[in-house]
Amino acid sequence: MSVKTDFNVTDSEWEVMRVVWAHGQASSKEIIDVLGQKMDWKPATTKTFLGRLVNKGMLSTETEGRRYLYSAMVGESEFVRHALDEFFSHVCNREVGRTIGDVLSKATLSHRDIDVLQAILDEKKETAVEEVPCNCIPGQCHCSLHGNDGCGC
């Protein structure tokens, strides 16, 4: 019986996932030790989050002697892509570019990061449309107030 992956994780569960992603496979003690440097959690709290993540299909577990080893069932990049897709599904299509721009303006980027982004933008420019159509129903954004001819988002 396979568990359907539930990508809806709390901020605390995300912290646990970051440790597992960084280690590839980790025992509950290793996870507790790492998070002890950042979070003021009792070991039982971390174990509760581990159990929830196993139930959500985000982590798998295997026993090695008396200890449990946890591995990610979902890679970090897949999880981030899913979270971004979910986020952008709630944003007016006309706001996506501006939102990405806001994120970029706040991010610390390396020269390599900028080169990668520039290459993506150059590629996107070849297929860019004159105006991105609104995907909202009337009343969900400002576009409908302007007859969809000039988004006031």
Side-chain angles (χ1 to χ4, degrees):
M1 176 174 104
S2 68
V3 176
K4 183 180 183 301
T5 304
D6 178 358
F7 284 86
N8 295 313
V9 300
T10 65
D11 291 343
S12 296
E13 291 167 342
W14 190 306
E15 292 290 339
V16 173
M17 289 301 299
R18 290 186 65 203
V19 176
V20 177
W21 286 322
H23 288 82
Q25 185 178 59
S27 68
S28 57
K29 181 183 179 341
E30 291 168 326
I31 296 166
I32 289 165
D33 290 346
V34 170
L35 291 175
Q37 300 170 47
K38 183 176 183 180
M39 314 303 277
D40 189 26
W41 294 343
K42 292 183 174 22
T45 302
T46 302
K47 289 179 182 180
T48 297
F49 292 134
L50 287 166
R52 288 180 187 169
L53 289 164
V54 168
N55 290 338
K56 290 180 178 187
M58 294 292 294
L59 292 177
S60 67
T61 182
E62 65 181 75
T63 55
E64 183 182 85
R66 293 184 53 211
R67 65 186 198 150
Y68 288 97
L69 296 175
Y70 296 90
S71 301
M73 297 294 291
V74 175
E76 185 174 13
S77 59
E78 178 187 355
F79 182 78
V80 170
R81 274 193 306 276
H82 185 275
L84 287 172
D85 289 346
E86 180 71 18
F87 172 77
F88 282 120
S89 75
H90 299 291
V91 175
C92 176
N93 277 350
R94 290 183 166 187
E95 281 293 297
V96 170
R98 188 176 311 173
T99 303
I100 292 170
D102 288 344
V103 170
L104 285 174
S105 70
K106 291 174 177 61
T108 301
L109 301 171
S110 69
H111 290 285
R112 183 176 180 276
D113 293 333
I114 293 168
D115 290 343
V116 168
L117 291 168
Q118 189 62 57
I120 292 168
L121 287 173
D122 290 343
E123 192 174 300
K124 289 297 251 180
K125 196 168 200 168
E126 293 178 23
T127 59
V129 296
E130 196 60 41
E131 186 176 307
V132 176
C134 176
N135 63 327
C136 304
I137 60 171
Q140 278 191 319
C141 70
H142 299 285
C143 297
S144 62
L145 297 175
H146 303 284
N148 277 346
D149 57 1
C151 184
C153 298

